[in-house]
Amino acid sequence: MKKTLPFLVFFFVSIILLCDNFKDRFVWVFGFNIEKNEDLEEVKRILNDAKKNDFNGVILSAGLDSLCKKDERYFRNLKEIRECCEKLNLELIPAVFSIGYGGGVLSHNKYLAEGLPVKDALFVVKNGEAIFISELNVQILNGSFEEFNGNRFKYFNFHDQPGEVSFVEQNIKKSGNTSIRFENFTANPYGHGRIMQEISVKPYRCYRMSIWVKTENLQPQGCFRLLVLGDKKDLAPRSFNLPPTTDWRKLTMIFNSQNFEKVRVYAGVWGGKTGKFYLDDWMIEEIGPINVLRRPGTPITVRNEGSGEIYKEGEDYEPLIDKNFNLWTNFDRPFPKIKITQNSRIKNGQRLRVSWYHPMLIYDSQVTVCMAEPEIYEIFDHEAKLLWETLNYKKVLLNMDEIRMGGTCEACLGKDMAELLGECVKKEVEILRKYNPKAEIYIWSDMFDPNHNAKKDYYLVKGDFTGSWNYIPKDIIIAVWGGRPREKSLEFFYNQGFKVLIACYYDADNMNDVKLWYEISKKFNNIVGFMYTTWQRKYGFLNVFKDILWNN
């Protein structure tokens, strides 16, 4: 017995140290509509697999910050998930309060989206309406692809490798006699198959660009893009989920020219591998007030071009409301006219200068909200109360990642973006702890990491997120995320005195990156645990994840 006692002491100390090092063994559950019974059953299956593999917590992202919008079925199924977690002794951790992906807030008020300014667009009054007038003849020259010499199309600055990657196509076209065809992408060292034209624009105006596309076995999926560059700045980060094979399909997007007088517009593939695609009828136009934002930080201004007199909404002109407002779709439609009231100071024939703000769709689904509008914190408070009453949360993850707009509307213009972000997080933490003062708060890392997204002019942000980490509470646990290990990020948060949860996996074909994360984690004593993180509902590696981390 005396000989075995030291061994037993060592064994139990080792177990205690293991639990201390990995007290958080979480799985990320995302991408499920829990109102659907089939998704509910799949979530419950994941919970059972997580328990079998010694996970102790589930972070659930499922619309938990818009509970007041949910129906009875949602709450019934959420209750089943909660009861399943209780039975399995898994902690249910809600993920809430996103700014970058503002769907929860926008379900309460669509006008809380961050806005880009349109400044002094020209309108002329005729028959009781102010009609938008484009001041510059903006167009894609030869957008119908009818003018060419050999395999080279006239007026375009370039298209990749004419006669090798890009070709004149006269058999398959949307209209006219000709389209442009792209194939043989591997003949380009980067897999590019693109076409570009530089065009003149008016600064701070809204433009609509459309093109017809046809694909045949195009791979990889998602490689097709439309791109608008002002100098090196991407003015419209968009993606389109084109099927690998589809008949002619019209793609439409809007962008704001910001401070640029010239932009370069691209269509094509980056990193293409196989298949073909065709382009035809490429068009661009300046447009009037589509998706006009209406909130304190996005004022609408209508003034007399000559005298500078500012007219009053509701007295001189009817409220400028886009009845077809849609943040995600339906950009290819008429925009509203400004209707002049009967007793208006505005007269027929007058030239007006009109300013407003519009949102931007980023990639295929992301709309950012404005952190400086007080109403969002009223929404957060309302939802936190419901969240507490529904789940009695002990831990919460703040979905404060990838904030790709800000500093452009009047509410946040000129503010220190790092400080504004920090104040936003502080308010979120205060609201959550209003209902549970002992709540433990986690947050995605990227917007507080100078090695990641905490930097100047990130995407469409006007300002600098550098230093944001100085404005958030030190007891927040940072969820450092990514597929490949971020050793510099781990070192940074260690030096800043934050505890860290490592959120890794990211849908790779194997667990090699997880092994590297684990080896690097040994260098730091502030790691509280790991989270199995999938964005494509791939939960088949839970056992391997466990073997690398908990059983190592």
Side-chain angles (χ1 to χ4, degrees):
M1 182 63 184
K2 289 182 180 180
K3 291 182 180 181
T4 59
L5 184 60
F7 171 78
L8 291 173
V9 170
F10 174 78
F11 175 77
F12 285 114
V13 168
S14 299
I15 294 297
I16 292 170
L17 288 173
L18 179 64
C19 292
D20 285 343
N21 287 339
F22 302 108
K23 75 177 186 67
D24 294 341
R25 305 186 298 280
F26 298 160
V27 59
W28 171 249
V29 176
F30 170 86
F32 296 93
N33 180 355
I34 65 171
E35 292 183 57
K36 295 181 177 180
N37 289 334
E38 57 268 30
D39 278 17
L40 171 64
E41 293 305 313
E42 179 64 14
V43 169
K44 290 162 67 176
R45 185 193 66 76
I46 293 166
L47 300 182
N48 278 279
D49 283 352
K51 181 61 179 179
K52 291 176 184 176
N53 289 290
D54 298 326
F55 288 80
N56 61 9
V58 175
I59 298 187
L60 177 65
S61 181
L64 293 166
D65 49 8
S66 54
L67 292 176
C68 73
K69 305 293 181 181
K70 304 303 184 184
D71 60 15
E72 182 182 350
R73 177 182 293 181
Y74 178 93
F75 283 101
R76 183 172 64 248
N77 289 356
L78 180 59
K79 182 181 178 183
E80 279 200 43
I81 292 172
R82 179 182 178 180
E83 290 174 347
C84 182
C85 286
E86 290 172 349
K87 180 180 178 181
L88 297 170
N89 198 26
L90 291 170
E91 185 162 3
L92 180 57
I93 304 163
V96 295
F97 295 174
S98 179
I99 294 292
Y101 297 83
V105 170
L106 296 168
S107 69
H108 294 80
N109 182 354
K110 61 191 177 185
Y111 295 135
L112 288 170
E114 181 56 71
L116 294 172
V118 174
K119 298 182 180 181
D120 294 332
L122 176 62
F123 286 69
V124 175
V125 182
K126 183 179 180 180
N127 297 328
E129 293 181 332
I131 309 299
F132 169 75
I133 304 294
S134 178
E135 298 176 82
L136 192 64
N137 183 23
V138 178
Q139 61 179 311
I140 305 288
L141 297 176
N142 196 24
S144 60
F145 302 103
E146 298 297 316
E147 298 182 60
F148 56 89
N149 183 9
N151 279 303
R152 294 183 180 273
F153 287 88
K154 191 175 180 180
Y155 299 119
F156 289 94
N157 295 68
F158 80 86
H159 47 95
D160 283 314
Q161 296 168 245
E164 191 175 10
V165 172
S166 56
F167 305 86
V168 169
E169 174 60 56
Q170 295 184 302
N171 293 318
I172 299 174
K173 65 268 187 184
K174 179 64 179 67
S175 66
N177 298 310
T178 312
S179 69
I180 184 170
R181 182 181 84 251
F182 290 85
E183 59 180 319
N184 302 328
F185 308 118
T186 55
N188 183 282
Y190 306 102
H192 292 341
R194 309 157 301 162
I195 185 168
M196 185 274 282
Q197 188 172 127
E198 184 175 73
I199 61 174
S200 296
V201 293
K202 294 281 289 185
Y204 296 105
R205 298 295 173 85
C206 186
Y207 292 90
R208 176 163 54 204
M209 185 165 71
S210 64
I211 194 168
W212 286 87
V213 185
K214 176 181 170 65
T215 61
E216 294 179 7
N217 301 313
L218 184 63
Q219 294 292 341
Q221 190 164 351
C223 63
F224 183 87
R225 289 190 61 192
L226 298 178
L227 183 65
V228 183
L229 294 183
D231 290 338
K232 296 181 180 180
K233 184 177 179 65
D234 188 347
L235 302 181
R238 283 298 313 274
S239 59
F240 301 89
N241 290 319
L242 277 176
T245 298
T246 181
D247 202 356
W248 287 106
R249 176 178 299 208
K250 189 178 184 181
L251 304 180
T252 303
M253 59 181 282
I254 64 172
F255 69 91
N256 189 294
S257 54
Q258 300 187 39
N259 62 318
F260 296 99
E261 294 183 344
K262 288 186 179 294
V263 298
R264 302 187 306 281
V265 294
Y266 296 73
V269 301
W270 282 253
K273 293 184 179 179
T274 60
K276 305 176 184 179
F277 71 92
Y278 308 81
L279 303 177
D280 208 351
D281 295 342
W282 194 1
M283 300 178 66
I284 190 169
E285 60 179 331
E286 185 184 349
I287 59 174
I290 195 169
N291 282 352
V292 179
L293 292 170
R294 298 184 60 85
R295 56 178 171 83
T298 56
I300 298 163
T301 305
V302 177
R303 67 175 177 86
N304 186 299
E305 183 185 54
S307 69
E309 182 179 16
I310 295 178
Y311 299 109
K312 190 170 182 180
E313 189 178 54
E315 293 184 8
D316 296 302
Y317 60 95
E318 294 181 8
L320 180 52
I321 299 173
D322 186 350
K323 295 180 180 179
N324 296 307
F325 187 105
N326 193 305
L327 291 162
W328 292 280
T329 61
N330 197 25
F331 303 127
D332 198 7
R333 58 178 171 82
F335 44 84
K337 299 175 182 177
I338 300 175
K339 297 185 180 298
I340 309 304
T341 59
Q342 187 173 1
N343 298 317
S344 175
R345 293 171 290 169
I346 303 172
K347 306 303 178 185
N348 276 338
Q350 282 188 345
R351 291 165 64 92
L352 306 176
R353 292 291 174 173
V354 182
S355 301
W356 67 90
Y357 291 81
H358 67 88
M360 272 292 294
L361 177 64
I362 295 177
Y363 295 122
D364 62 349
S365 63
Q366 182 178 6
V367 179
T368 300
V369 300
C370 177
M371 292 182 284
E373 284 287 3
E375 186 181 344
I376 69 166
Y377 302 102
E378 297 172 11
I379 293 169
F380 286 161
D381 188 279
H382 168 73
E383 289 294 337
K385 183 175 184 293
L386 291 174
L387 186 67
W388 171 248
E389 292 169 351
T390 305
L391 294 183
N392 292 126
Y393 56 81
K394 296 178 182 178
K395 296 181 174 70
V396 177
L397 173 71
L398 293 176
N399 274 329
M400 294 292 288
D401 59 323
E402 296 180 335
I403 300 172
R404 291 170 170 154
M405 289 185 70
T408 52
C409 75
E410 285 198 10
C412 54
L413 182 65
K415 291 185 180 293
D416 182 321
M417 291 305 295
E419 187 173 355
L420 179 61
L421 174 56
E423 288 301 316
C424 177
V425 172
K426 284 180 184 177
K427 290 176 183 177
E428 292 174 329
V429 172
E430 289 169 2
I431 288 167
L432 290 166
R433 287 179 174 162
K434 174 181 176 181
Y435 300 100
N436 180 4
K438 296 182 179 180
E440 197 169 17
I441 309 298
Y442 298 71
I443 195 167
W444 294 115
S445 62
D446 58 301
M447 298 309 304
F448 312 94
D449 182 357
N451 304 290
H452 204 167
N453 296 333
K455 56 190 177 184
K456 185 178 181 181
D457 296 331
Y458 173 59
Y459 277 77
L460 299 180
V461 174
K462 187 176 182 180
D464 193 348
F465 284 124
T466 302
S468 57
W469 54 88
N470 294 317
Y471 299 102
I472 63 174
K474 285 293 185 180
D475 64 349
I476 287 182
I477 298 172
I478 308 294
V480 177
W481 60 267
R484 293 182 178 180
R486 295 181 174 276
E487 184 170 359
K488 289 184 178 179
S489 299
L490 294 179
E491 184 178 5
F492 172 77
F493 288 114
Y494 172 80
N495 291 332
Q496 293 295 318
F498 289 99
K499 292 180 180 179
V500 164
L501 171 74
I502 295 177
C504 58
Y505 171 51
Y506 277 69
D507 303 299
D509 294 329
N510 54 58
M511 290 276 110
N512 292 341
D513 286 336
V514 175
K515 294 176 182 177
L516 294 174
W517 275 106
Y518 173 66
E519 292 302 319
I520 292 170
S521 74
K522 296 177 183 179
K523 300 179 181 180
F524 307 98
N525 62 9
N526 63 327
I527 310 298
V528 299
F530 284 78
M531 179 165 70
Y532 182 101
T533 312
T534 172
W535 298 94
Q536 299 175 14
R537 295 170 53 158
K538 295 181 179 180
Y539 293 93
F541 286 131
L542 287 174
N543 60 328
V544 184
F545 197 83
K546 173 201 71 172
D547 289 341
I548 294 169
L549 299 171
W550 327 150
N551 287 357
N552 200 315

